[in-house]
Every structure is written in C-alpha cells, then in structure tokens.
Amino acid sequence: MFPVDRPRRLRRTAALRRLVAETTLRPEDLVAPLFVGEGLDEPRSISSLPGHAQHSLASLRAEVGALASAGVGGVILFGVPTTKDEVGSGAYDPDGIVQVALRDLRDTYGDDVVVMADLCLDEYTSHGHCGVLDSCGAVDNDATLELYARAALAQAEAGAAVVAPSGMMDGQVGAIRSALDESSHADTVILAYTAKYASALYGPFREAVNVEIAGGGDRRGYQQDYRNRREALREARLDIDEGADIIMVKPAMTYLDVLSDLASELDVPLAAYHVSGEYAMVKAAAERGWLDGAGIALEQLTAVKRAGADFILTYFAREVAEGLNP
Ligand code: PBG
C-alpha cells in the first residue's frame, strides 16, 4: 500500500468537520430587510416574499424584538409611502414613514439593535427611478445628490445608526458624508451599495414596495452592468475615498467573484445583499417540494461568507438565525 494523502480523514465525524470548518455562519452575520407601510394598522403580506410583510409600526416593533432575540446583526428599513411625487419627498420628509419608524425603534430599543435605513428615492418617486429626472426624462445625478443629502440628515436625525445609499449615483457617498459631518452626525455610519448590479433578481422587492418604473424603463443607466467584474473595484475605491465605512455587493450568489475580489483588495468591512429574487427562488422551489429550502439557505449564505462577506442582508435572517441558535 503506497501512502496516499487522505483528506477524508478530517470528514469522518461531525465533530471533526466542525473543528476544521473554515467558515462559520452566525446569527450576527445576518441583517434583516424590513418593510414598513405608511398608515397600516395591520401588516400586509407580500405574495412573492413568503413570510414577509409590509409592517405596521406595531408589527415592525415586534419583529425587530424577535430578530434581536434571535441574535441577528441588525435590521434595514424600507418605506412604503401612501403617496409618491416627482421628487420623492417622502424620503426626506421628517414625517416620512421611515423616519417615523426609525424614531419609534430608537425609543424602544436605543442602541441595542443596529438599525439601518436604505437611502434612495425609488419607493417615493411617482416614476419609480432612484433619482429625480431632468427635462429630458433622464436621471439627474447631481440634483439627486442634494436630495440624498437631505434624506441622510432626516434618517440620522430620526435615529438611524447606519444609512445605506442604494441609488448608484456618482458621488453619493461623498455628498452624504459631507452633509452628515456638517450637521453633528459625524458618527452616522455609511454602508454603501457599492457594486449594485442592474439585476432581474429585484422583482419581488418591487412588489414589496409597490415600485414600477415608468414606461417600462430600467436602471441600467446607473446600476452596474453584470458583464463587468473589475468595474466593481473602481466603484469600491471611489466609495471608500468618499467616506464609505462599509461597502456592499448586490445581489450575492451571482457575484461571488466580485465579493472575493473586493475582500482580497480592500480593508473595510464588506457586506453582501442576498436579494428578494434569490429568496423567492428558494421559497418557490421548496414550496413545490423540489428542493430543501432550509438546506439551500444555509449553503448559499455560508458560500457568501466564504467568498468574503463579513455580513449578509437576507430575507432568511430570522429563520436561519433561529435555526442556528441551540
Ligand atoms: C433601491 C433598492 C432596491 C433593492 C434594494 N434597494 C431595488 C432596485 O434597485 O430596484 C432591491 C432589494 C431586493 O431585491 O431584495 N432602493
């Protein structure tokens, strides 16, 4: 018998496998995206995101409590306003639904839960774009930055520990950092959606927030082209120079190469967003009995960590965190 290397030796028992596992998924690695609907007395379910709802203020408070008990790393809020307009006023109105919800959560949980706010206009604009439009109907980058700065202040004022600009406008991180620093919110963290790709995987999210892009339009003029890999590094360096504290890749599973690049090249914390379509695909197949949903959720989220993410925004946060707890 010649000597062979036997990697299987380390796979013999569950205890050995656990001892040598390179990647560990913990509840605190997960951040739960949550929707809050203006004027709702009861949560309203979202058919393409089973287990999720547009929350009322009361159900949001309860859900955040349950998530905190499960040990998740944080929550990120998205607002569903009752009215929209051309300039997305609800995003920066101090009485806009997310600002109201942020104050409520701050009063209830203080600094015990990391509460983040998605910072964008698309939920609040009548045309569904992430910025304001110029006279030709194109998204006006620099006019949008002024509104993002106002939204950042409104969110920070209302108690967001982290603001997360998701609109992919050039210069958005710099504009928000300056606005925060100039107004006594130097401690507010910026989690930048740095490499956010124009993806077909956002469909269920758009149902969740009632967003339809006018005229059958899309976001390819501002979100990244999925044919590009190195471009993500360029975006990341810009965001870090402008003051991003954390950078994020979105979606997750189809961009593990990008995550891996950013993890090896950069030294800021790195997040990934396992998006609505990624969740819905697993849920739909599991519902049909075609796949083991819980098994896939764990495998996918662990893979995202293995590729380099420090934490993951995921609609699986609560169920996976609860499953990880003894
Ligand atoms: C924009 C935003 C989107 C998502 C998060 N922030 C939608 C978009 O870019 O069209 C998608 C998240 C998901 O699909 O889970 N505010």
Side-chain angles (χ1 to χ4, degrees), residues 120 122 130 166-169 196-199 202 206 218-226 231 235 250:
C120 198
D122 64 323
C130 295
S166 63
M168 290 298 282
M169 295 301 128
K196 176 174 178 181
Y197 285 85
S199 169
Y202 306 147
R206 296 197 188 146
D218 58 52
R219 307 205 194 290
R220 292 190 186 134
Y222 38 102
Q223 298 180 346
Q224 266 186 246
D225 186 326
Y226 56 69
E231 189 186 13
E235 285 281 3
K250 173 182 174 191

Side-chain angles (χ1 to χ4, degrees), residues 297-311:
L298 210 52
E299 180 176 335
Q300 291 199 349
L301 297 174
T302 306
V304 174
K305 257 202 98 179
R306 190 193 64 226
D310 296 300
F311 64 88

Side-chain angles (χ1 to χ4, degrees), residues 78 118 120 122-123 130 166 193 196 201-202 205-206 219 223 250 273-277 315:
F78 295 89
D118 181 81
C120 198
D122 64 323
E123 291 100 300
C130 295
S166 63
Y193 286 68
K196 176 174 178 181
L201 288 162
Y202 306 147
F205 174 91
R206 296 197 188 146
R219 307 205 194 290
Q223 298 180 346
K250 173 182 174 191
Y273 197 146
H274 188 267
V275 302
S276 59
Y315 301 91

